[in-house]
Amino acid sequence: MTPPKSWLSIPEQSDFSLANIPFGIIETKYSSRDKRAGIPIGNHVLDLKVFSEGNGFSKLSSLATEQRSVFSQPTLNEFAALGQPTHNLVREYLQEVFSESTSYPEILKENEALKKEALLPKHETKNHLPMQIGDYTDFYAGVNHAFNAGSLFRDPANALNPNYTHLPVGYHGRASSVVISGTPVIRPSGQILLDQQNSPTTPTFAPCRALDIELEMGCFLCKSTALGTSLRINKDAETAIFGYVLMNDWSARDIQRWEYVPLGPLNGKNFATTISPWVVLPSALEPFRAKKLENKTQLLSYLKEYREDTVYDITLSVDLTIPDEDGGGDTTTITRVSSSNLLWSFPQMIAHHSAGGCAMNVGDLLGSGTISGKEAGELGSLLEMSEGGKKEIRLAGMNMRKYLLDGDTVTFRGAAGDGVGFGECTGKIYMSSSN
Amino acid sequence: MTPPKSWLSIPEQSDFSLANIPFGIIETKYSSRDKRAGIPIGNHVLDLKVFSEGNGFSKLSSLATEQRSVFSQPTLNEFAALGQPTHNLVREYLQEVFSESTSYPEILKENEALKKEALLPKHETKNHLPMQIGDYTDFYAGVNHAFNAGSLFRDPANALNPNYTHLPVGYHGRASSVVISGTPVIRPSGQILLDQQNSPTTPTFAPCRALDIELEMGCFLCKSTALGTSLRINKDAETAIFGYVLMNDWSARDIQRWEYVPLGPLNGKNFATTISPWVVLPSALEPFRAKKLENKTQLLSYLKEYREDTVYDITLSVDLTIPDEDGGGDTTTITRVSSSNLLWSFPQMIAHHSAGGCAMNVGDLLGSGTISGKEAGELGSLLEMSEGGKKEIRLAGMNMRKYLLDGDTVTFRGAAGDGVGFGECTGKIYMSSSN
């Protein structure tokens, strides 16, 4: 499907055609550090605070005037809390405003003053975290990754634990470690076993030597529930979703391996998790629904979905850029995989997370877990590509890697197609200054 | 040591003598749901907002006028962020104001108008969560409990994993599940194995049948750090502590047992964690320092403390009240144990948590893990008392329990002695309305 045409020039390959309209938090050249909501359109960003204050929403009568203050907030939480019908109304209205044949040319198309103030070239804006994250939970729904990692951490015969196909396994993450794309990633130090073979129980405190990525989808919630209540599958679990981002759950494999039994990962994960800046709404992804991977286990009813196409077919890719001697870099695309490689959908994760009465909140972030396919070239972590650090990964420019070195940059992209994508989720590795 | 005498009548057994002065968040009969800071003194509570607005702090010149707005906030986060020296100044000033021989009688002792407005009988006030909790991490530093639980979940030979004595094991918890003492606890439903022997991999979705308590100390932080930096032992880890509360990390053992491998507990824990309302400052606990349990493992230097007395000897007790036919209840004290039964101190937990660069924030909550002694009558969970649900626990009034039933009430108390204590941390079990 070709995205609707706009009076604004939008590059053909842009993730941000009129078919998308994701939301984010920006500061601009003119906002003097004051954060506000924005949307990307092609290579431009619309400052929704300035747009709103310039009567940009005057033709959207269903959005009450007092509700428009949500766009002046430093996070999207208040906007998210208005609920999916309102998100969709605003998205559709903005599509109309930017459409070539807009019914409201006076709003922006022919309003040179507002265009100048509100519609900025992307490089005149900077993104911030889109949401204030109350709690962050990371699942493990990428069954191919779970199998591969389980094989390496334990053994292939016991790679998946018996609970794996019965419930979406997950753990509580660290909200304070979630950062926006572009934030430097500082190599953590921690307890690691330098010689696992000969000294399997004598750790050393040292910088991580097995710094890894995890290719994930993130999901922000737009509904809050009280303790003791739940969000039900096929009912309110799906409508509790605000939207999606790309997520790199950076992992220190050597720290994680020693610390994680029996209560799960802590310092192996809590030094940084990077997300892409724009929250893509479910309505923008609706054309890209895909079936989950088959689960032969008979599910309990609180996890049974009416339909199987509750994940999305988005092409996720991972670029690894290695610094070269000239100050440039050699980039290799090390992974290209569909985001549909999940055994569990986000509505199932939400239904499970809240099934025991856990309070969920607007702004909560859920991670899918690492997404890998079954083939080489479809793996979502270096752990899998290097077979647990045993094998070099061949890269462009005669480079080799098992895990990340200082100066390496990793960039995730996600393209659903037809002008709908996620932009970049990127981070560069830095040595800790305390080492 | 006898606590200093006050002009206000303070019952001899009170946790809240002048030697204590903990801080909390209250609403009062007069505040119309507006939250503010308060301190308990005997059976009274001082409304610090009203006190401050009534020039109560006028003799504390080191607390700038603009800083006094911290007492009007709905959480203690801003007060906490002022740092330990300020907390101590305020505590000492309030001790002086309430002292029998106060140098400032005009402030409150002889100020009938302010006394009437600001100093309320406890029953005219209600407590709320003292802090906005950014992240909550629960450790596992009670080695006696870890050994007992490990023996039951695995076997005595492998009860403690090799990492246990090298680092404070912990997991990220769910901040949204933390509630104030007195909040109803709703029995969670979840995936449980009804017949572990014969169907070890076929779960049922049902109300938890092994609802348990965990007797813990909680610790709130008063310092924020950036990602990539850390709080160091013997330096800033100790001064990052705002204060302490009692904590009941309610646990659904059957849900936890099935879900927790390999990433740790999720729904077995995230339905409720209750804390006591008043945050007791480290300065109030200084006289009760005690030695940690001996750890024979050679520690890495980032965890080595200059002194061994970095935990506290507070007598923790657990009362279990079973409803009787007359609408009353039979109460049994099932546990009495010193809070010093820890292998790791809070400064060690903080140093470890942040060692890899995890960002810590004012308002973060850390839990000690369940505190048990070595003797019967000193156990911090029903799991241990009932030997994994195999043995009935005998209670007053001919009652028996393995785990908690609906209608049961559990109350933790913590008494350091000499007029310093924590008040109550209590919760009553209710059936889920959706069952």
Side-chain angles (χ1 to χ4, degrees):
Chain A
M1 220 175 66
T2 321
K5 285 220 162 173
S6 175
W7 48 260
L8 182 71
S9 164
I10 299 177
E12 209 174 314
Q13 297 302 318
S14 176
D15 282 344
F16 305 122
S17 77
L18 291 199
N20 196 349
I21 315 283
F23 292 80
I25 289 294
I26 56 167
E27 65 174 86
T28 77
K29 201 177 161 183
Y30 310 104
S31 74
S32 58
R33 300 207 156 187
D34 195 23
K35 297 178 197 169
R36 70 274 312 276
I39 56 162
I41 310 264
N43 292 333
H44 287 75
V45 171
L46 181 70
D47 179 332
L48 288 178
K49 181 181 187 217
V50 173
F51 178 73
S52 179
E53 287 169 359
N55 292 317
F57 287 110
S58 54
K59 300 290 179 187
L60 184 63
S61 54
S62 54
L63 188 72
T65 312
E66 65 275 14
Q67 289 182 321
R68 294 174 195 168
S69 66
V70 297
F71 301 116
S72 305
Q73 302 300 316
T75 71
L76 293 176
N77 291 49
E78 287 189 23
F79 173 56
L82 296 177
Q84 280 186 354
T86 303
H87 312 154
N88 292 336
L89 274 175
V90 172
R91 173 170 171 266
E92 286 157 23
Y93 176 76
L94 290 167
Q95 285 174 325
E96 180 59 37
V97 165
F98 277 95
S99 146
E100 191 162 51
S101 55
T102 177
S103 315
Y104 316 124
E106 72 278 22
I107 291 290
L108 199 65
K109 184 181 181 184
E110 295 168 5
N111 184 338
E112 294 303 324
L114 190 57
K115 245 194 294 197
K116 199 176 159 197
E117 279 180 30
L119 189 60
L120 307 171
K122 195 185 157 199
H123 64 88
E124 292 183 4
T125 67
K126 185 183 153 187
N127 280 91
H128 291 276
L129 274 184
M131 309 286 282
Q132 181 175 349
I133 302 166
D135 280 291
Y136 154 46
T137 301
D138 200 19
F139 284 89
Y140 196 50
V143 62
N144 299 321
H145 167 78
F147 178 82
N148 293 338
S151 300
L152 292 162
F153 270 44
R154 287 173 294 274
D155 65 275
N158 296 303
L160 296 181
N161 288 288
N163 58 14
Y164 189 85
T165 60
H166 289 274
L167 56 82
V169 169
Y171 67 98
H172 301 119
R174 178 87 190 172
S176 75
S177 69
V178 180
V179 295
I180 194 74
S181 179
T183 306
V185 174
I186 299 168
R187 179 181 301 274
S189 290
Q191 289 199 14
I192 62 182
L193 300 173
L194 289 182
D195 183 357
Q196 181 135 26
Q197 215 78 46
N198 298 311
S199 302
T201 60
T202 309
T204 304
F205 188 80
C208 166
R209 294 167 187 216
L211 188 55
D212 199 358
I213 58 170
E214 292 202 334
L215 176 61
E216 304 198 20
M217 295 290 298
C219 171
F220 278 111
L221 300 194
C222 61
K223 227 177 243 179
S224 296
T225 62
L227 269 184
T229 64
S230 57
L231 292 164
R232 293 148 302 167
I233 202 88
N234 306 314
K235 293 201 179 80
D236 28 22
E238 206 148 7
T239 57
I241 294 174
F242 176 44
Y244 299 92
V245 291
L246 306 176
M247 192 166 116
N248 188 346
D249 184 33
W250 305 92
S251 298
R253 298 297 178 197
D254 39 9
I255 296 173
Q256 181 186 353
R257 186 189 287 262
W258 167 241
E259 77 177 356
Y260 91 105
V261 178
L263 297 181
L266 189 81
N267 286 355
K269 298 282 191 174
N270 64 22
F271 58 95
T273 297
T274 304
I275 62 171
S276 58
W278 304 109
V279 183
V280 178
L281 300 189
S283 49
L285 295 176
E286 188 62 30
F288 310 103
R289 277 183 178 268
K291 283 192 180 175
K292 299 186 295 278
L293 296 177
E294 193 189 355
N295 188 348
K296 286 177 184 154
T297 295
Q298 176 67 24
L299 295 188
L300 289 164
S301 64
Y302 81 102
L303 289 172
K304 262 188 212 159
E305 292 182 292
Y306 289 154
R307 52 196 290 180
E308 279 305 307
D309 57 346
T310 51
V311 298
Y312 300 107
D313 180 22
I314 300 160
T315 302
L316 306 176
S317 66
V318 180
D319 279 2
L320 174 52
T321 303
I322 308 286
D324 64 19
E325 288 171 5
D326 309 328
D330 293 314
T331 295
T332 313
T333 300
I334 54 176
T335 298
R336 207 181 289 274
V337 64
S338 168
S339 65
S340 64
N341 281 284
L342 294 170
L343 197 71
W344 301 100
S345 70
F346 277 107
Q348 286 177 313
M349 297 180 223
I350 293 166
H352 178 69
H353 201 321
S354 66
C358 179
M360 311 301 288
N361 284 302
V362 173
D364 284 349
L365 176 63
L366 308 183
S368 62
T370 309
I371 298 174
S372 291
K374 292 206 157 184
E375 309 297 324
E378 295 186 337
L379 301 173
S381 70
L382 302 179
L383 175 81
E384 293 165 87
M385 295 180 216
S386 70
E387 293 173 13
K390 288 194 288 286
K391 210 183 91 183
E392 295 278 1
I393 307 163
R394 288 175 172 280
L395 304 169
M398 307 287 283
N399 291 300
M400 307 278 243
R401 282 292 182 277
K402 289 174 174 171
Y403 291 106
L404 299 172
L405 299 186
D406 296 339
D408 291 355
T409 299
V410 178
T411 305
F412 292 175
R413 288 188 184 80
D418 297 338
V420 177
F422 286 78
E424 290 188 352
C425 174
T426 188
K428 184 173 176 176
I429 309 301
Y430 291 83
M431 189 178 64
S432 167
S433 58
S434 61
N435 294 329
Chain B
M1 218 175 67
T2 320
K5 285 220 163 173
S6 176
W7 47 260
L8 181 70
S9 164
I10 299 176
E12 209 174 314
Q13 297 302 318
S14 176
D15 283 343
F16 307 122
S17 77
L18 292 199
N20 196 348
I21 316 282
F23 292 80
I25 289 293
I26 57 167
E27 66 173 87
T28 76
K29 201 178 161 183
Y30 309 104
S31 74
S32 58
R33 299 206 156 187
D34 195 25
K35 298 177 196 169
R36 70 275 312 277
I39 57 162
I41 309 265
N43 293 332
H44 288 75
V45 172
L46 182 69
D47 178 332
L48 289 178
K49 182 183 187 217
V50 173
F51 178 73
S52 179
E53 287 169 359
N55 292 317
F57 286 109
S58 55
K59 300 289 179 187
L60 185 63
S61 54
S62 53
L63 187 72
T65 311
E66 64 276 14
Q67 290 182 321
R68 294 174 194 170
S69 66
V70 298
F71 301 116
S72 305
Q73 302 299 317
T75 70
L76 293 176
N77 292 51
E78 287 189 22
F79 173 57
L82 296 177
Q84 278 186 356
T86 303
H87 312 155
N88 292 336
L89 275 175
V90 172
R91 173 171 171 265
E92 286 157 22
Y93 176 75
L94 291 167
Q95 284 174 327
E96 180 59 38
V97 165
F98 277 95
S99 146
E100 191 161 49
S101 55
T102 177
S103 315
Y104 316 125
E106 71 278 24
I107 291 290
L108 197 65
K109 185 181 179 183
E110 293 167 6
N111 184 340
E112 293 303 324
L114 190 57
K115 245 195 293 197
K116 199 176 159 198
E117 279 179 31
L119 190 60
L120 308 171
K122 195 184 158 202
H123 64 89
E124 293 183 2
T125 67
K126 186 183 152 186
N127 280 91
H128 291 275
L129 275 184
M131 308 287 281
Q132 181 176 350
I133 302 166
D135 281 290
Y136 154 46
T137 301
D138 200 18
F139 284 88
Y140 196 48
V143 61
N144 299 322
H145 167 79
F147 178 82
N148 293 338
S151 300
L152 292 162
F153 271 42
R154 289 173 294 274
D155 65 275
N158 296 302
L160 296 181
N161 288 288
N163 58 14
Y164 188 85
T165 60
H166 289 274
L167 57 82
V169 169
Y171 66 99
H172 301 119
R174 177 89 190 170
S176 74
S177 69
V178 180
V179 296
I180 193 74
S181 179
T183 305
V185 174
I186 299 169
R187 179 181 301 274
S189 290
Q191 289 199 14
I192 61 181
L193 300 172
L194 289 182
D195 184 356
Q196 181 135 26
Q197 215 79 47
N198 298 310
S199 303
T201 61
T202 308
T204 304
F205 188 80
C208 166
R209 296 169 186 214
L211 188 55
D212 199 357
I213 59 171
E214 292 201 334
L215 176 63
E216 305 198 19
M217 296 291 296
C219 171
F220 278 111
L221 300 193
C222 61
K223 227 177 244 179
S224 295
T225 62
L227 268 184
T229 64
S230 57
L231 293 164
R232 293 148 304 167
I233 202 87
N234 304 315
K235 294 201 178 80
D236 27 24
E238 205 148 7
T239 56
I241 294 173
F242 175 45
Y244 299 92
V245 292
L246 305 176
M247 192 166 116
N248 188 345
D249 184 33
W250 305 92
S251 299
R253 298 297 178 196
D254 39 9
I255 296 172
Q256 181 186 354
R257 185 189 287 261
W258 168 240
E259 77 177 358
Y260 91 105
V261 177
L263 298 181
L266 188 83
N267 287 355
K269 298 282 192 174
N270 64 22
F271 58 96
T273 297
T274 304
I275 62 171
S276 58
W278 303 109
V279 183
V280 178
L281 301 188
S283 49
L285 295 177
E286 189 61 30
F288 310 102
R289 279 183 178 268
K291 283 193 182 175
K292 298 187 295 278
L293 296 177
E294 192 190 357
N295 188 349
K296 287 177 183 153
T297 296
Q298 176 68 22
L299 294 189
L300 289 164
S301 64
Y302 81 102
L303 290 172
K304 263 188 212 158
E305 292 182 292
Y306 290 153
R307 52 197 290 180
E308 279 306 306
D309 58 346
T310 51
V311 299
Y312 299 108
D313 180 21
I314 300 159
T315 302
L316 306 176
S317 66
V318 180
D319 279 3
L320 174 53
T321 303
I322 308 286
D324 66 17
E325 286 169 7
D326 309 330
D330 294 314
T331 296
T332 313
T333 300
I334 54 176
T335 299
R336 207 180 289 276
V337 63
S338 167
S339 65
S340 64
N341 280 283
L342 294 170
L343 197 70
W344 301 99
S345 70
F346 278 108
Q348 287 177 313
M349 297 180 223
I350 293 166
H352 178 69
H353 201 321
S354 66
C358 179
M360 311 301 289
N361 285 302
V362 172
D364 283 349
L365 175 64
L366 308 183
S368 62
T370 309
I371 298 174
S372 291
K374 292 206 158 184
E375 309 297 324
E378 294 186 338
L379 301 172
S381 70
L382 302 179
L383 174 82
E384 294 165 87
M385 295 180 216
S386 70
E387 295 173 13
K390 288 195 288 285
K391 209 184 93 181
E392 296 278 1
I393 307 161
R394 290 176 171 279
L395 305 169
M398 307 286 282
N399 292 299
M400 306 278 242
R401 282 291 182 277
K402 290 175 174 170
Y403 290 106
L404 299 172
L405 299 186
D406 297 339
D408 290 356
T409 300
V410 178
T411 304
F412 292 176
R413 287 187 186 80
D418 295 338
V420 178
F422 286 78
E424 290 188 354
C425 174
T426 187
K428 183 174 176 176
I429 310 300
Y430 291 83
M431 189 178 63
S432 167
S433 58
S434 60
N435 294 330

